[in-house]
Amino acid sequence: GESVGLHLPTLSVQEGDNSIINCAYSNSASDYFIWYKQESGKGPQFIIDIRSNMDKRQGQRVTVLLNKTVKHLSLQIAATQPGDSAVYFCAEAGGSQGNLIFGKGTKLSVKP
Amino acid sequence: DAGVIQSPRHEVTEMGQEVTLRCKPISGHDYLFWYRQTMMRGLELLIYFNNNVPIDDSGMPEDRFSAKMPNASFSTLKIQPSEPRDSAVYFCASSLNRGRKPGANVLTFGAGSRLTVL
């Protein structure tokens, strides 16, 4: 079926270290992927997206990697800061209507 | 733009009562989505509209749930009668279609409406 899942529900890193958040997807027909950050009490906030014709895309301190062979997506955050503490969701546009399907999220905790 | 505006931010009600959640999308956006978030099920798409027309409501849990979009700047999600299992955070999101599938555009989410049904 169509589903997006996360390998790690929680991730704790030291401030200044790099963080890697992983995501698996099951629909090989998905052609668009997106990462959202959700802070406590707020709605999800767009971080970065990538289309299936790419395998890497970089933003400010963030990089998304897409491996279509194993249907795996990752978000790398460089020099993690306390303000990066949040729940991170990956999503794929793979539903029958092309809707975004969200994973259950990974909580990132940054230790000072 | 103030972003996607949702109200109320918090709602506590008793089982059997009617609940109405409201959303004002970003001006100019042509897609509007309603999501529900719970710890157990994560973010679930309930329904979405394109140019005020409901396109897919297959995620609406049951007939107790209904959504309307009378114009481009307003949408409501109504639960009647409400039940304790409806307790969740309800998010509204909007996007501007750039010629792709509905989900293949960046969604901007509101701050959510936290519903507690006692």
Side-chain angles (χ1 to χ4, degrees):
Chain A
E2 300 166 344
S3 65
V4 176
L6 291 167
H7 295 310
L8 297 173
T10 60
L11 178 64
S12 184
V13 301
Q14 202 72 37
E15 180 179 359
D17 287 350
N18 296 334
S19 302
I20 300 176
I21 302 172
N22 296 302
C23 177
Y25 65 94
S26 60
N27 188 347
S28 57
S30 294
D31 59 2
Y32 177 76
F33 305 86
I34 191 166
W35 282 98
Y36 279 90
K37 170 187 180 183
Q38 186 176 22
E39 297 174 278
S40 181
K42 298 182 179 179
Q45 181 182 18
F46 169 79
I47 301 174
I48 192 168
D49 59 358
I50 188 168
R51 302 203 175 276
S52 59
N53 60 353
M54 302 172 69
D55 53 20
K56 180 179 180 179
R57 190 167 188 218
Q58 289 184 293
Q60 188 176 14
R61 282 202 306 119
V62 295
T63 301
V64 56
L65 298 176
L66 175 63
N67 186 331
K68 294 182 288 294
T69 301
V70 294
K71 290 183 281 189
H72 185 266
L73 193 68
S74 69
L75 176 71
Q76 300 179 358
I77 305 174
T80 313
Q81 303 169 359
D84 295 327
S85 293
V87 176
Y88 290 80
F89 295 93
C90 66
E92 61 174 318
S96 59
Q97 300 285 333
N99 301 320
L100 278 180
I101 301 172
F102 284 83
K104 288 201 171 14
T106 292
K107 182 176 181 179
L108 175 65
S109 295
V110 182
K111 297 177 286 186
Chain B
D1 200 315
V4 176
I5 307 297
Q6 292 187 245
S7 66
R9 289 297 314 276
H10 302 275
E11 174 99 5
V12 180
T13 191
E14 293 187 344
M15 182 174 63
Q17 296 298 307
E18 178 179 292
V19 173
T20 299
L21 307 179
R22 299 172 177 80
C23 175
K24 181 181 186 305
I26 290 175
S27 178
H29 280 190
D30 55 353
Y31 276 87
L32 184 141
F33 302 80
W34 282 101
Y35 281 86
R36 178 172 67 176
Q37 185 177 42
T38 61
M39 288 297 295
M40 290 298 293
R41 301 174 68 90
L43 270 166
E44 301 175 280
L45 176 63
L46 300 178
I47 185 172
Y48 76 93
F49 296 82
N50 177 218
N51 292 322
N52 315 337
V53 176
I55 302 301
D56 184 359
D57 65 354
S58 59
M60 296 287 260
E62 45 197 275
D63 292 344
R64 298 184 296 106
F65 286 69
S66 62
K68 294 181 179 180
M69 192 167 184
N71 56 63
S73 59
F74 184 66
S75 177
T76 59
L77 178 66
K78 186 174 293 186
I79 308 173
Q80 167 62 21
S82 59
E83 297 183 1
R85 59 189 168 129
D86 302 330
S87 298
V89 182
Y90 291 82
F91 287 102
C92 176
S94 69
S95 69
L96 178 63
N97 183 25
R98 301 184 188 279
R100 309 176 189 129
K101 292 185 293 185
N105 301 287
V106 176
L107 271 62
T108 301
F109 283 81
S113 294
R114 180 176 294 276
L115 173 65
T116 302
V117 183
L118 303 175

